Every structure is written in C-alpha cells, then in structure tokens.
C-alpha cells in the first residue's frame, strides 16, 4: 500500500511517500519504523481515508494512508 508522508515525517524518511505491506495498523507502524529513522521518538498521527485512527484496525491495502506530523489549530 502507498503511504503519504507530510512535514517532518517526509523529511525523516527522505521521501513524500512509501510503499509498504501491512494488514493492520500495528503492522503498518512496524513497516514505517523500518523506513523512518527514530520513528519511536517522533510525534505523529495516522489517517486512514482521511480519518485519524488510534486503534489496531484492519487494512485492505486500498485505503488512503497519511502520516501526519503534529499540528496546531487556531
């Protein structure tokens, strides 16, 4: 599946998108850790089909996945 990276996440990965294999969010986080140095020390959220997800939901590979840096609103 294609994963879109934004802001500092893209900077750390050296790319604005990655292709990884994952069947759930837990596997996705593990796959991202292989491509993004020091991922465990970074704050980020993962959006699946434009909805921020926190649990270990299943993934089919057809979703839009985005890794987002911390953001502030006003």
């Amino acid at each position: 599946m294609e994963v879109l990276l934004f802001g500092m996440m893209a900077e750390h990965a050296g790319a604005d998108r990655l292709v990884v294999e994952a069947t759930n969010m837990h596997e996705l986080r593990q796959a991202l850790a292989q491509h993004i140095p020091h991922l465990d020390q970074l704050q980020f959220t993962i959006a699946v089909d434009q909805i921020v997800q926190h649990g270990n939901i299943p993934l089919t590979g057809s979703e839009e996945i985005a890794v987002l840096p911390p953001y502030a609103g006003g």
Side-chain angles (χ1 to χ4, degrees):
M1 71 180 50
E2 185 175 71
V3 179
L4 305 175
L5 306 172
F6 294 92
M8 71 175 187
M9 301 310 292
E11 290 176 24
H12 282 278
D16 63 356
R17 58 191 68 219
L18 298 172
V19 176
V20 299
E21 291 187 25
T23 60
N24 58 50
M25 290 289 282
H26 178 73
E27 290 179 6
L28 176 61
R29 288 179 180 274
Q30 289 179 326
L32 292 173
Q34 294 177 1
H35 295 279
I36 303 173
H38 312 292
L39 181 68
D40 60 334
Q41 298 171 14
L42 302 174
Q43 291 184 343
F44 63 95
T45 55
I46 298 175
V48 178
D49 292 331
Q50 300 182 4
I51 299 172
V52 173
Q53 299 290 335
H54 298 287
N56 188 29
I57 64 168
L59 300 170
T60 66
S62 63
E63 300 89 354
E64 177 186 73
I65 308 291
V67 181
L68 309 167
Y71 56 90

